[in-house]
């Protein structure tokens, strides 16, 4: 009897140890985005406070927005942001911001700058395609061959804020502002942002594998309808 | 003996758990990646049309990232403006998810994915269509589902493959 009790106890301990190892392995290998905060599109200010220069992910987007100041016009944009290979934190990023105002104005229509910094917040409850969140891309107007609107004093950086709120692009957001301060994680001297909810197109923000330089998370091969 | 078997079983369990739960990307080959970024507009030459709609011009915005495996992620949006058969203004919009990309020897990039086509005539947009687009420094050509648009020349804006 005593022997039977001892054997039963040993088996119980072994099963318990195996279960604990399994749980530990699952916990250690789940993607980090699971633990990160959900973006509430109705509380942009609160959301921006959650943006982090240490979050590993990518931001892509293409589409149009309506600009109302100084005149009403449509502008196209294309954006890319990713973490560089060997990224360890601090907001460093690579990518590009293209922005084109479609209007009969002679100057200040184009933006073409490399991205130097990015802050992100990944959605804790991503869409079925694995995207969602918000981010800021900071581009450098002083880089060779870059283009920004002229200004006095000269714009030295561009700050783009994006939100990915759906797979269809509905309620996604693109805003751009121009800054007299240099390109840093939080540039200074930024003017009023133009843009807003997308007119067409979409933003995608997603997690990526640390150290991969960005590309890694597969995109589901589907594009839902964007209904009015 | 018994302890050895238990240790072996635990080791196998750990290896299997790691293999099953790690994201697929961990195992994917990752080399130099390309960034494809564009935003611009263009004007069609006279006579350009699609599905009987006379096309005047269009705008485009692209943001996509590719790897050496050909896998890609990102978005593409192109909007064409034209005139319908009965003379009404009509805007056709292509909106797509990019899933693969190939940078061609001539510097152009071919983007593949799935997209929606909104004919802009009041009918519901058609989704889940195969999307192929070729972007270069002079314009963008788009084919979605069975509809092939003439190449939109780029007369304004930027297209970058880097």
């Amino acid at each position: 009897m005593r022997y039977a009790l001892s054997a039963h106890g040993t088996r119980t301990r072994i099963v318990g140890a195996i279960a604990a190892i399994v749980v530990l392995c699952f916990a250690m290998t789940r993607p980090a985005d699971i633990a990160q905060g959900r973006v509430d599109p109705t509380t942009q200010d609160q959301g921006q406070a959650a943006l982090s220069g240490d979050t590993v992910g990518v931001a892509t987007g293409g589409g149009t927005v309506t600009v109302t100041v100084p005149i009403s016009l449509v502008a196209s944009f294309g954006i890319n942001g990713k973490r560089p290979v060997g990224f360890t934190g601090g907001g460093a990023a690579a990518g590009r911001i293209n922005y084109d105002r479609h209007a009969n104005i002679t100057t200040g229509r184009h933006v073409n700058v490399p991205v130097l910094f990015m802050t992100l917040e990944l959605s804790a409850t991503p869409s079925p395609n694995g995207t969602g969140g918000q981010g800021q891309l900071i581009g450098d107007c002083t880089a060779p061959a870059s283009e920004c609107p002229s200004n006095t004093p000269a714009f030295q950086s561009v700050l783009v804020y994006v939100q990915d709120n759906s797979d269809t692009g509905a309620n996604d957001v693109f805003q751009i502002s121009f800054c007299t301060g240099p390109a840093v994680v939080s540039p200074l001297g930024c003017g009023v942002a133009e843009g807003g909810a997308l007119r067409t197109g979409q933003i995608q923000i997603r997690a990526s594998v640390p150290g991969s330089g960005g590309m890694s998370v597969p995109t589901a091969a589907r594009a839902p309808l964007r209904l009015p | 003996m018994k302890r050895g078997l238990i240790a072996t079983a635990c080791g196998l369990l750990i290896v299997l758990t790691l293999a099953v739960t790690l994201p697929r990307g961990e195992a994917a080959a990752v080399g130099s990646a390309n960034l494809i970024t564009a935003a611009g507009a263009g004007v069609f030459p006279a006579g350009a049309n699609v599905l009987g709609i006379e096309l005047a011009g269009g705008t485009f915005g692209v943001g996509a990232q590719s790897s050496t495996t050909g896998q890609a992620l990102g978005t593409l949006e192109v909007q064409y403006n034209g005139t319908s058969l009965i003379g009404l203004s009509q805007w056709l919009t292509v909106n797509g998810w990019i899933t693969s990309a190939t940078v061609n020897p001539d510097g152009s990039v071919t983007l593949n994915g799935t997209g929606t086509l909104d004919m802009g005539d009041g009918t519901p947009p058609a989704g889940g269509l195969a999307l192929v687009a070729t972007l270069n420094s002079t314009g963008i050509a788009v084919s979605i589902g069975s509809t092939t648009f003439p190449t939109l020349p780029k007369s304004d804006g930027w297209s970058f493959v880097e």
Side-chain angles (χ1 to χ4, degrees):
Chain A
M1 186 63 186
R2 186 177 175 187
Y3 174 79
L5 277 174
S6 176
H8 179 266
T10 302
R11 279 198 299 273
T12 304
R13 282 196 296 273
I14 291 170
V15 170
I18 292 172
I21 289 169
V22 170
V23 170
L24 193 61
C25 289
F26 269 102
M28 289 173 66
T29 54
R30 294 305 299 157
D33 62 287
I34 300 291
Q36 291 172 342
R38 165 77 174 162
V39 177
D40 181 355
T42 61
T43 56
Q44 181 175 318
D45 290 340
Q46 291 176 13
Q48 286 185 347
L51 292 170
S52 169
D54 298 330
T55 302
V56 179
V58 298
T60 59
T64 61
V65 288
T66 302
V67 177
T68 55
V69 178
I71 60 172
S72 182
L73 55 87
V74 171
S76 291
F77 67 89
I79 60 159
N80 267 310
K82 66 174 186 175
R83 298 301 185 196
V85 175
F87 173 78
T88 55
R96 187 159 292 275
I97 299 166
N98 282 165
Y99 182 65
D100 188 14
R101 294 164 168 154
H102 307 301
N104 189 20
I105 50 179
T106 55
T107 60
R109 288 187 297 114
H110 299 145
V111 174
N112 171 39
V113 293
V115 171
L116 297 189
F117 298 97
M118 177 171 69
T119 57
L120 290 175
E121 181 191 11
L122 304 174
S123 172
T125 54
S127 73
N129 276 318
T131 66
Q134 60 177 341
Q136 284 185 328
L137 305 175
I138 296 92
D140 182 11
C141 292
T142 65
S146 64
E147 184 172 358
C148 288
S150 58
N151 188 61
T152 304
F155 292 130
Q156 296 190 64
S157 59
V158 173
L159 175 63
V160 165
Y161 172 73
V162 290
Q163 280 184 13
D164 177 8
N165 295 315
S166 74
D167 275 351
T168 63
N171 301 318
D172 287 0
V173 171
F174 172 91
Q175 292 179 321
I176 187 168
S177 59
F178 304 99
C179 314
T180 54
V184 292
V185 174
S186 298
L188 300 175
C190 299
V192 176
E194 63 185 54
L198 299 196
R199 175 179 169 272
T200 59
Q202 59 187 297
I203 302 293
Q204 293 178 359
I205 295 173
R206 71 189 78 212
S208 64
V209 175
S212 70
M215 175 66 204
S216 63
V217 179
T219 301
R222 63 177 179 173
L225 296 175
R226 179 175 183 173
L227 299 173
Chain B
M1 178 65 179
K2 193 174 180 180
R3 285 184 180 177
L5 285 173
I6 292 170
T8 305
C10 285
L12 282 172
L13 200 59
I14 290 170
V15 170
L16 280 172
T17 308
L18 286 170
V20 168
T21 57
L22 273 176
R24 274 180 290 172
E26 293 281 354
V30 178
S32 63
N34 288 298
L35 295 172
I36 303 109
T37 318
V43 178
F44 283 109
N49 74 87
V50 64
L51 303 174
I53 300 158
E54 187 177 347
L55 296 173
T59 63
F60 56 90
V62 179
Q65 302 180 14
S66 70
S67 72
T68 53
T69 64
Q71 191 183 28
L73 52 82
T75 68
L76 173 148
E77 179 272 344
V78 186
Q79 188 165 59
Y80 302 91
N81 61 79
T83 306
S84 71
L85 289 169
I86 57 173
L88 298 176
S89 173
Q90 190 166 339
W91 298 68
L92 297 85
T93 308
V94 174
N95 195 17
W97 286 65
I98 304 304
T99 54
S100 68
T102 305
V103 177
N104 305 309
D106 63 359
S108 66
V109 59
T110 301
L111 305 167
N112 292 272
T114 309
T116 62
L117 172 61
D118 185 344
M119 292 299 293
D121 58 0
T123 58
L129 304 175
L131 171 68
V132 181
T134 302
L135 177 74
N136 60 29
S137 59
T138 60
I140 185 168
V142 173
S143 176
I144 182 165
S146 59
T147 305
T148 300
F149 288 88
T151 299
L152 174 64
K154 180 173 72 66
S155 55
D156 189 29
W158 292 90
S159 295
F160 252 86
V161 179
E162 55 192 323

